[in-house]
Amino acid sequence: MDRKHPSSIIEAQFLNGYKIESKEFNRIPFGEEEIFISGALIPKDTCGDCGVKEGMYHTFRCDQEQCPKCGWQVLTCECDIEENIEIVEATDLKEASSET
Ligand SMILES: [Zn+2]
Ligand SMILES: [Zn+2]
């Protein structure tokens, strides 16, 4: 396990997506994983590995994070994550360019 650095937690909140095989995927925040919750691996409050709170994105390489593409643990799945990216929500764009 890595040491916990608050700056890496902050950075992880901005880079909310992964680029996998040239497609963009939204990362899965802590508390929304389907596979780990049932195993009682996680105390529901903070991530046992990287220390983020519920609803926040895990830091990179956290072993509790679920892969948004295949649904397996992101550290050990076979997806090739090319890049950590920032995904801007489409709704924000709509509001910004409201023309009549
Ligand atoms: Zn974590
Ligand atoms: Zn995967």
Side-chain angles (χ1 to χ4, degrees):
M1 274 183 222
D2 291 340
R3 276 167 291 156
K4 299 176 181 86
H5 293 297
S7 62
S8 66
I9 291 178
I10 292 165
E11 183 189 40
Q13 307 316 304
F14 288 106
L15 297 171
N16 60 347
Y18 286 134
K19 199 170 178 194
I20 303 170
E21 290 162 20
S22 302
K23 290 201 191 102
E24 294 181 356
F25 293 87
N26 288 298
R27 298 175 64 209
I28 300 172
F30 172 56
E32 291 183 21
E33 302 89 349
E34 288 156 25
I35 50 170
F36 298 120
I37 290 169
S38 55
L41 274 170
I42 312 176
K44 238 327 207 166
D45 221 14
T46 27
C47 175
D49 188 28
C50 73
V52 299
K53 294 209 159 52
E54 194 178 345
M56 292 171 72
Y57 293 105
H58 295 276
T59 60
F60 301 114
R61 306 183 52 78
C62 174
D63 66 13
Q64 299 292 308
E65 180 167 356
Q66 184 177 5
C67 175
K69 182 167 185 284
C70 72
W72 190 238
Q73 185 187 32
V74 91
L75 263 188
T76 56
C77 79
E78 300 194 337
C79 302
D80 183 18
I81 296 172
E82 291 152 19
E83 229 181 315
N84 301 321
I85 55 171
E86 182 182 356
I87 296 177
V88 181
E89 303 228 358
T91 48
D92 291 348
L93 291 173
K94 237 185 221 169
E95 277 174 37
S97 65
S98 60
E99 45 191 291
T100 42

